[in-house]
Amino acid sequence: MNKCLIFMLVITLVSCTKEVITPVPDTAIEGIRNVKTIVIESYNLEFDSYDRTTEHFDKDGFLTREEYAIGVVIDDEASDEYFIEYRVHDVINYTPYNAKGMRRGECINEFDVIEYSIVRSWTKQNEYKDVINYTNTSEYITTVKGTLDEKRILMATEEKKASTTVPRLISMQYVSYTFDDKGYVTPASVTYKSEKDDKNAVTYKIEKGKRDSHNNVLERTFIDTKGEIVKENTYTYEYY
């Protein structure tokens, strides 16, 4: 048989057996549907702090932009009331996924300085990896691995210094999800671990609140093991 023909057959077989990986939309991972933007306002009771995250999605459900803002309490002496004034701290702009199933994000802080870049690649049909490279070489390089299945999403965060060759595990975050009867994802709990320290792992129970007409959650409450509320989130959606 012609050598050229044999080579072409090998290439064809390899290409046929290679798994075609399709990136999962971010809205599907977050358990929301038909959303153009989502604004998440958080009040942390433990630290008495406010923050706001605004996520922008394209019509296919993929993130295009994230804005993170810190809230400052402003007292209105005239009305004897207060309101929260938010200041944008950083913005992440994302490129669309390329043919290899990879996308890039770039984080710019309030001083218009690039803080880090983040590259997400799908290594399997149900598994992705985020690699975050900080502009400051003394900072950490962070790798986030996510695994999706029908009942839960597990995320493990691994960090290492840029000057080292052996990764050192800094923290791990596990997020368990359940599904309602309409197939919407709702987180049930989240666990934070540090330095592989099981004894000091912190688990918060997440209670879902009201939903809107699209069946998307409008509020969530985070409760510690003592039954005390540690954080409250409210969600505002804009739809296509």
Side-chain angles (χ1 to χ4, degrees):
M1 185 180 290
N2 187 286
K3 290 184 178 180
C4 183
L5 181 59
I6 294 175
F7 177 77
M8 292 302 296
L9 284 172
V10 171
I11 294 296
T12 302
L13 287 171
V14 170
S15 61
C16 289
T17 56
K18 186 178 180 180
E19 181 183 11
V20 177
I21 301 174
T22 303
V24 177
D26 297 281
T27 51
I29 295 175
E30 295 189 29
I32 54 179
R33 298 181 180 180
N34 305 319
V35 173
K36 184 177 182 180
T37 62
I38 175 174
V39 179
I40 307 169
E41 294 188 60
S42 297
Y43 172 51
N44 191 311
L45 281 72
E46 183 179 3
F47 299 104
D48 192 27
S49 62
Y50 296 83
D51 63 73
R52 181 182 68 194
T53 302
T54 305
E55 300 178 347
H56 301 259
F57 305 91
D58 61 21
K59 290 185 177 181
D60 295 319
F62 292 103
L63 268 171
T64 59
R65 181 181 175 91
E66 285 184 285
E67 301 161 9
Y68 174 71
I70 298 174
V72 178
V73 179
I74 305 296
D75 290 314
D76 187 350
E77 296 180 359
S79 63
D80 198 27
E81 295 181 353
Y82 73 92
F83 62 93
I84 310 300
E85 183 177 86
Y86 288 97
R87 183 189 68 193
V88 176
H89 186 266
D90 52 45
V91 174
I92 307 176
N93 292 306
Y94 295 95
T95 61
Y97 278 100
N98 61 22
K100 295 181 179 180
M102 298 176 63
R103 77 167 178 210
R104 178 184 173 85
E106 195 170 70
C107 178
I108 303 174
N109 64 22
E110 57 189 316
F111 305 107
D112 291 327
V113 175
I114 299 174
E115 286 194 347
Y116 61 83
S117 65
I118 176 171
V119 176
R120 170 167 292 189
S121 57
W122 285 84
T123 54
K124 297 179 182 178
Q125 197 65 52
N126 66 335
E127 186 176 276
Y128 65 84
K129 180 175 70 174
D130 288 341
V131 178
I132 304 172
N133 284 283
Y134 290 88
T135 303
N136 188 339
T137 55
S138 65
E139 296 275 4
Y140 290 108
I141 293 176
T142 304
T143 301
V144 181
K145 298 177 182 179
T147 303
L148 291 70
D149 60 31
E150 294 181 355
K151 295 183 179 180
R152 60 185 176 178
I153 297 176
L154 301 177
M155 299 184 204
T157 302
E158 185 177 60
E159 299 180 349
K160 65 176 180 179
K161 282 188 176 180
S163 60
T164 63
T165 56
V166 180
R168 185 166 67 94
L169 187 63
I170 303 299
S171 63
M172 295 186 72
Q173 171 179 306
Y174 295 94
V175 184
S176 300
Y177 286 79
T178 56
F179 288 79
D180 62 18
D181 55 354
K182 294 185 179 181
Y184 285 81
V185 186
T186 55
S189 65
V190 57
T191 300
Y192 298 96
K193 294 170 63 176
S194 179
E195 297 287 350
K196 299 182 180 179
D197 189 355
D198 293 328
K199 293 182 180 179
N200 294 323
V202 180
T203 299
Y204 297 118
K205 178 183 177 182
I206 305 176
E207 291 187 349
K208 56 187 179 181
K210 297 180 294 184
R211 293 175 178 250
D212 64 8
S213 58
H214 294 263
N215 204 34
N216 286 322
V217 174
L218 293 173
E219 56 189 32
R220 285 193 176 110
T221 302
F222 294 72
I223 302 172
D224 63 16
T225 53
K226 298 179 181 179
E228 297 179 356
I229 297 175
V230 293
K231 187 171 70 169
E232 295 176 328
N233 283 4
T234 59
Y235 304 80
T236 305
Y237 303 92
E238 179 185 4
Y239 294 96
Y240 279 105

